Amino acid sequence: MFGLKKRVFIFLFFISFFTFRAQNFSISGTVKDAKNGETVIGATIQLKELNKVASSNQYGFFSISAPKGKYTLIFTYFGYKTITRQIDLEKNTSLNIAFTSSETNLDEVEVTTKAGNENVNNTQMSAVNLDMTEIKKIPAFMGEVDILKTIQLLPGVKNAGDGNTGFYVRGGGPDQNLILLDEAPIYNASHLMGFFSVFNGDAIKNVNLIKGGMPAQYGGRLSSVLDITMKDGNNQNFEVDGGIGLIASRITVQGPIVKNKSSFIVSGRRTYIDVLAKPWIEKSDFKGTSYFFYDLNGKFNYILNDKNRIYLSGYYGRDQFLFKSEEDNFHTKIPWGNASGCLRWNHIFNSKLFSNASLVFTNYDFSFSAIQDDFEATIKSGITDYTAKYDLNYFPNSRHNIKTGINYIFHVFVPTSVSAKQGETVFDLGKAAKLYGHDAAIYVSDDWEISQKIKVNAGLRFGNFTQVGEFDRYLKDFTGKITDTVSYKRGEVVANYNGLEPRFSMRYTFNQKTSLKAAYTRNFQYIHLATISSVSLPTDVWMPCTELIKPQLSDQYALGFFRNFKENTYETSVEVYYKTMTNQIEYKEGAQPSDNVYDNPDNAFTYGKGWAYGAEFFVKKRTGKFTGWIGYTLSWTWRQFDDINYGEKFLAKYDRRHDASVVLTYDANKQWNFGAVWVYGSGNRGTLPNGFFIYEGSQSHDYGLRNSYQFVSYHRMDLNVTFTPDRAKKLEKRKQALTEQYKLEGKDTTNIQVTKKWARNFSNSFTLSVFNAYNRYNPYFIYITRQGDFTNGTLEVGAKQVSLFPILPSLTWNFKF
């Protein structure tokens, strides 16, 4: 590893040597929000005279270089006033920028949701950056703002239907998406079996989705990266905000520990479904059932000095399903959830070199326990990661942005652990299966502007995965009986895999409004999600690469045309892609996760390949009172396994030929905001019986080919309206009334206070949302019905559709002070 690291620094030296043309000086610093001290991600920094553009990184740091001279620097970011600075550049210069929000009345100014023509100019394609202000305007299920539901409205990203936050990107499965919360991987991103995501929008600052052309700093997944950044916390003033909805409430508290130096943020959310539904449940067939979820986000940051800053962030969330039957003396408890923590240190070496070091912990676990009389059984599964990573960002001059780093993860997998006892008797079900793996990677990339027309991003990532002991490999004969056991000691190598992952993307600019982009990405994935369901469930099992399970590998090719219109008011793009995937994993026919008793979990799987291709169309209006987008995807997703579907290729369960979305928001004025969403998708696929036959006096179904049945098309419209009372106007009227009263009474009117300080800063809003506005009954699943008796010829077999949600209105009150 040391040799590889040494080569990276040699590479950086030669890059800086060969790109040296004249004595350049750099302008660097940090961009933040003046009101709360939050660092600003993706702010645009333009050197006007040289037409050079840079942007602030994930931590708000920027660096741009130029020869000696006088320049005009322009800083822009959505929702903020543009800042202009005149610079006489004679040496390396440090310049920190604090944006102030535009307070101009919405009736007089257009609101910009993104700066300039960044979508045309940068090399990154197949990527979307969303700000939480934008997301909160979009209609949400039961009023709960949902990041995952929002990204499913983008072209190339498909959902699994109602009641599921799992998403599928360009033919990949839900396990092929790298979901990061402040650098910590989140392995199960949903609450309530997929109805809500685990991300509390009040604690989130920024959301970045990458569907293709994945940069070299990301790895470990085939399809996409969803990089979510939490707020740092207000380091200027204490602030409380929250909301009360029909099924959940949330509250966020943030403020300075030392003003301008350190801050904190704590955000919590809980449902009260269990409390509200209890009176009805106790009178129904579901008596004794209870369910709730909660989550907690926290973050602390401290600015040590101008060059050093530390962050400590964490997340903890749990779902809890309970059932208790006093009549049958039966109790069951099913908890599952995520926990994560990240300690980071930002260090600025100089105006051209920025670093970030991180220690990350993440855990996902699922448990099922049941007790009846004196019998007790428990099933557990989960995954725990311990991560250390170090990243460098180097700016040798204005044409190069070099990134390099190393990453190490120690994985602990619990695929399925089963235990049981009756009274004092403990049943021997074998040792709890724990699997261990070392996952290491090193990368380097350069975002290189060759000329004003051509810019490339070239990177290389090398990954290595090693499964280690303790581990027992059970050897079986053809009957399935264990004949021998191969035992590996702690730390002993069981299996080892590695591979190079080249990443390349290029942009060719025809003019300031038009560009053509191309990208090639190779990705290895060393961990896998095994599922027996067509939707993501807590029972899904994470598995590492083993002797039998090989790394997943994908190669993706993408080409895109980007064009902006009317001074960048409208963004349009067309992208086509082709992706191949090898070593895909599925359960064998009839296999179950609980089959792991006295067996290795990887014996239950079969392996195959997949491929996907399609075209994505996107039109977005990004400025003005009326904003939104239209997205459309035409795609095909195929799979082929020797042991499934007689070895013939079949369309994947999440294949969807046509997928369209329309998202509209309208800011009428400061008080009224309106939103609408319409989605359409070709029906999901499944396997249903073509008929039935009688075998030994019993009816059996004759199933069709894998995923040969297509459900009816899915479509739905959601609406919302938000009303924000004009409290300032109300307080002013009250003050005027008091002034008149004081004058009549002869009192002093110079220091009239109509409210306490916190109340003067109080604001609130009411959001009315309507989910499924025209009451469409979309399919959730289909089941087979039987009526009559086959012996007398009266048997009738049919199929019935189950739908989840009719029209659902909801009301949410949001507040802030």
Side-chain angles (χ1 to χ4, degrees):
M1 186 63 71
F2 176 78
L4 287 172
K5 186 176 179 182
K6 193 174 180 180
R7 289 174 205 163
V8 169
F9 282 102
I10 293 173
F11 172 80
L12 294 177
F13 170 78
F14 279 107
I15 285 288
S16 59
F17 178 80
F18 285 114
T19 55
F20 180 83
R21 298 183 180 183
Q23 185 177 10
N24 282 347
F25 299 107
S26 61
I27 308 163
S28 64
T30 302
V31 184
K32 66 180 182 179
D33 184 323
K35 185 177 180 180
N36 54 34
E38 290 275 355
T39 55
V40 176
I41 302 171
T44 300
I45 300 95
Q46 181 183 9
L47 203 60
K48 185 177 179 181
E49 287 75 9
L50 300 180
N51 196 28
K52 299 294 183 184
V53 176
S55 60
S56 56
N57 68 9
Q58 189 176 355
Y59 305 98
F61 178 79
F62 73 92
S63 178
I64 191 168
S65 299
K68 180 180 178 180
K70 295 183 178 181
Y71 299 99
T72 303
L73 273 177
I74 303 173
F75 298 82
T76 55
Y77 191 67
F78 62 88
Y80 292 89
K81 294 179 181 177
T82 297
I83 295 175
T84 302
R85 292 284 187 270
Q86 303 298 326
I87 300 293
D88 189 357
L89 192 60
E90 295 181 340
K91 61 180 180 178
N92 291 335
T93 302
S94 178
L95 181 63
N96 294 324
I97 295 296
F99 278 114
T100 57
S101 61
S102 175
E103 299 294 340
T104 309
N105 192 304
L106 284 169
D107 292 326
E108 302 170 0
V109 68
E110 292 185 335
V111 178
T112 302
T113 58
K114 190 172 150 187
N117 54 354
E118 181 186 352
N119 63 312
V120 172
N121 282 335
N122 62 25
T123 55
Q124 181 69 62
M125 65 181 297
S126 311
V128 180
N129 189 276
L130 295 171
D131 182 77
M132 285 307 301
T133 304
E134 195 173 5
I135 293 174
K136 288 181 177 181
K137 293 180 180 180
I138 298 173
F141 176 68
M142 298 302 291
E144 287 296 308
V145 174
D146 196 318
I147 291 170
L148 297 190
K149 289 288 197 299
T150 301
I151 66 169
Q152 291 167 15
L153 300 172
L154 298 168
V157 185
K158 302 176 184 179
N159 63 30
D162 287 340
N164 197 282
T165 54
F167 61 99
Y168 308 89
V169 178
R170 292 186 171 178
D175 66 316
Q176 295 173 357
N177 305 309
L178 178 62
I179 303 175
L180 299 172
L181 178 63
D182 266 10
E183 300 189 9
I186 301 298
Y187 283 100
N188 187 306
S190 65
H191 285 305
L192 191 55
M193 303 292 185
F195 290 93
F196 302 100
S197 78
V198 301
F199 305 111
N200 182 350
D202 289 345
I204 303 304
K205 176 164 64 176
N206 190 73
V207 179
N208 188 36
L209 173 69
I210 302 172
K211 302 178 291 182
M214 193 183 297
Q217 67 262 33
Y218 297 110
R221 302 294 189 275
L222 298 190
S223 292
S224 75
V225 177
L226 181 62
D227 197 348
I228 300 171
T229 305
M230 287 175 54
K231 292 178 179 177
D232 298 329
N234 192 326
N235 68 8
Q236 300 296 306
N237 300 288
F238 284 96
E239 184 179 313
V240 178
D241 57 283
I244 299 175
L246 293 182
I247 65 169
S249 290
R250 63 192 191 279
I251 189 166
T252 301
V253 181
Q254 56 183 314
I257 299 173
V258 178
K259 195 169 183 178
N260 292 315
K261 198 81 172 175
S262 67
S263 62
F264 74 95
I265 180 171
V266 177
S267 185
R269 177 176 59 162
R270 191 194 191 280
T271 58
Y272 26 76
I273 304 172
D274 52 329
V275 178
L276 296 179
K278 188 174 182 179
W280 288 273
I281 289 176
E282 292 302 312
K283 298 177 183 179
S284 71
D285 294 337
F286 299 98
K287 181 180 179 181
T289 301
S290 175
Y291 169 82
F292 63 91
F293 73 76
Y294 62 90
D295 43 36
L296 181 69
N297 296 77
K299 191 170 184 177
F300 160 82
N301 77 93
Y302 188 82
I303 302 172
L304 301 173
N305 51 47
D306 289 342
K307 293 183 178 294
N308 294 279
R309 186 170 185 169
I310 58 172
Y311 302 83
L312 178 63
S313 59
Y315 167 83
Y316 184 82
R318 275 292 177 272
D319 289 67
Q320 190 85 258
F321 177 83
L322 304 168
F323 178 75
K324 186 176 183 180
S325 173
E326 298 294 350
E327 296 176 2
D328 300 323
N329 196 24
F330 176 76
H331 301 202
T332 186
K333 182 178 180 181
I334 309 176
W336 69 93
N338 301 276
S340 69
C342 180
L343 176 63
R344 288 176 290 169
W345 169 41
N346 288 173
H347 177 65
I348 301 173
F349 287 96
N350 52 51
S351 60
K352 296 185 177 183
L353 187 59
F354 176 91
S355 73
N356 178 67
S358 302
L359 295 174
V360 184
F361 166 83
T362 187
N363 168 264
Y364 168 72
D365 62 77
F366 167 83
S367 176
F368 170 90
S369 61
I371 302 174
Q372 187 165 30
D373 298 324
D374 63 344
F375 179 79
E376 181 177 349
T378 302
I379 300 175
K380 293 182 179 180
S381 66
I383 179 173
T384 302
D385 290 349
Y386 304 90
T387 304
K389 60 193 294 286
Y390 187 70
D391 302 284
L392 288 169
N393 200 175
Y394 178 50
F395 306 87
N397 55 47
S398 60
R399 291 185 177 274
H400 292 267
N401 182 353
I402 299 171
K403 296 180 180 180
T404 186
I406 56 176
N407 184 76
Y408 168 76
I409 307 172
F410 179 65
H411 298 284
V412 180
F413 300 84
V414 182
T416 302
S417 171
V418 183
S419 62
K421 68 177 183 177
Q422 187 163 14
E424 299 299 322
T425 304
V426 178
F427 297 96
D428 182 10
L429 300 177
K431 290 195 302 183
K434 278 192 176 183
L435 305 176
Y436 305 91
H438 298 288
D439 192 343
I442 185 170
Y443 73 89
V444 63
S445 68
D446 184 15
D447 200 37
W448 179 17
E449 186 178 25
I450 298 174
S451 67
Q452 286 192 348
K453 288 187 174 294
I454 300 175
K455 191 175 184 180
V456 301
N457 187 300
L460 185 65
R461 184 182 182 92
F462 175 78
N464 180 280
F465 184 89
T466 305
Q467 184 199 357
V468 296
E470 300 177 3
F471 176 69
D472 290 333
R473 169 64 66 187
Y474 299 112
L475 304 179
K476 297 184 175 183
D477 60 19
F478 68 95
T479 67
K481 181 180 179 181
I482 297 175
T483 58
D484 199 3
T485 302
V486 179
S487 296
Y488 295 87
K489 298 178 181 179
R490 183 177 181 179
E492 187 177 355
V493 175
V494 179
N496 178 261
Y497 302 96
N498 57 64
L500 286 171
E501 303 173 43
R503 315 283 177 84
F504 179 83
S505 58
M506 182 185 74
R507 178 224 70 197
Y508 179 82
T509 303
F510 296 98
N511 52 52
Q512 290 187 349
K513 297 180 180 179
T514 312
S515 67
L516 183 70
K517 300 181 185 182
Y520 165 73
T521 307
R522 165 166 282 202
N523 292 76
F524 281 97
Q525 182 167 329
Y526 298 105
I527 64 175
H528 317 258
L529 184 67
T531 177
I532 57 174
S533 170
S534 60
V535 297
S536 298
L537 293 174
T539 50
D540 297 344
V541 174
W542 285 96
M543 286 288 299
C545 286
T546 66
E547 294 171 285
L548 301 183
I549 303 176
K550 310 301 181 186
Q552 298 183 60
L553 170 66
S554 76
D555 290 288
Q556 181 178 166
Y557 310 84
L559 183 68
F561 179 77
F562 298 79
R563 177 75 164 92
N564 288 1
F565 296 91
K566 203 175 178 181
E567 297 181 351
N568 298 315
T569 299
Y570 295 91
E571 297 177 359
T572 66
S573 65
V574 179
E575 295 187 39
V576 295
Y577 67 90
Y578 180 82
K579 180 163 67 174
T580 60
M581 296 164 281
T582 60
N583 299 325
Q584 301 300 284
I585 184 173
E586 293 276 1
Y587 274 106
K588 293 177 180 177
E589 299 283 5
Q592 297 287 335
S594 57
D595 295 340
N596 295 339
V597 177
Y598 276 118
D599 198 358
N600 296 122
D602 50 9
N603 285 329
F605 305 128
T606 185
Y607 311 96
K609 62 181 180 180
W611 60 99
Y613 47 91
E616 300 166 4
F617 303 84
F618 189 59
V619 178
K620 181 176 183 178
K621 186 176 185 294
R622 49 178 290 276
T623 64
K625 293 182 178 182
F626 181 76
T627 59
W629 69 79
I630 299 174
Y632 170 72
T633 305
L634 174 68
S635 62
W636 289 260
T637 302
W638 295 92
R639 293 290 186 268
Q640 187 173 26
F641 292 77
D642 290 339
D643 297 332
I644 297 177
N645 205 51
Y646 309 103
E648 297 294 325
K649 70 176 184 178
F650 58 91
L651 290 165
K653 57 194 175 188
Y654 35 83
D655 171 78
R656 187 173 288 177
R657 190 72 62 251
H658 305 284
D659 195 85
S661 62
V662 179
V663 178
L664 304 172
T665 63
Y666 178 66
D667 291 312
N669 50 48
K670 281 188 174 182
Q671 291 181 277
W672 291 97
N673 170 267
F674 301 88
V677 168
W678 183 78
V679 294
Y680 172 87
S682 302
N684 287 338
R685 295 188 171 272
T687 307
L688 292 179
N690 287 332
F692 69 93
F693 59 92
I694 307 303
Y695 179 73
E696 295 183 351
S698 300
Q699 178 183 317
S700 299
H701 291 110
D702 178 23
Y703 282 88
L705 296 175
R706 174 65 72 100
N707 296 337
S708 57
Y709 178 81
Q710 185 173 23
F711 290 67
V712 298
S713 298
Y714 181 101
H715 54 88
R716 189 192 79 241
M717 175 177 283
D718 304 331
L719 303 170
N720 77 350
V721 56
T722 298
F723 171 68
T724 304
D726 192 341
R727 185 168 173 79
K729 184 182 292 186
K730 184 178 179 179
L731 291 176
E732 184 60 32
K733 286 183 178 180
R734 187 177 177 187
K735 185 176 182 179
Q736 290 175 359
L738 284 173
T739 301
E740 294 298 325
Q741 181 181 339
Y742 279 26
K743 285 181 178 179
L744 291 174
E745 296 175 356
K747 295 180 179 179
D748 183 16
T749 61
T750 55
N751 294 304
I752 294 177
Q753 298 293 330
V754 294
T755 62
K756 294 182 179 180
K757 183 177 179 181
W758 70 267
R760 290 197 298 274
N761 295 324
F762 180 85
S763 64
N764 69 123
S765 65
F766 300 87
T767 299
L768 174 65
S769 300
V770 181
F771 179 86
N772 196 8
Y774 53 78
N775 203 32
R776 162 76 173 179
Y777 285 89
N778 288 301
Y780 185 56
F781 66 85
I782 290 178
Y783 67 94
I784 305 302
T785 63
R786 291 181 292 181
Q787 291 182 340
D789 190 345
F790 73 89
T791 59
N792 58 20
T794 61
L795 179 65
E796 294 182 0
V797 180
K800 288 190 176 182
Q801 172 184 302
V802 174
S803 299
L804 281 182
F805 303 120
I807 181 172
L808 284 176
S810 63
L811 181 65
T812 303
W813 175 56
N814 299 298
F815 59 87
K816 181 177 181 179
F817 59 87

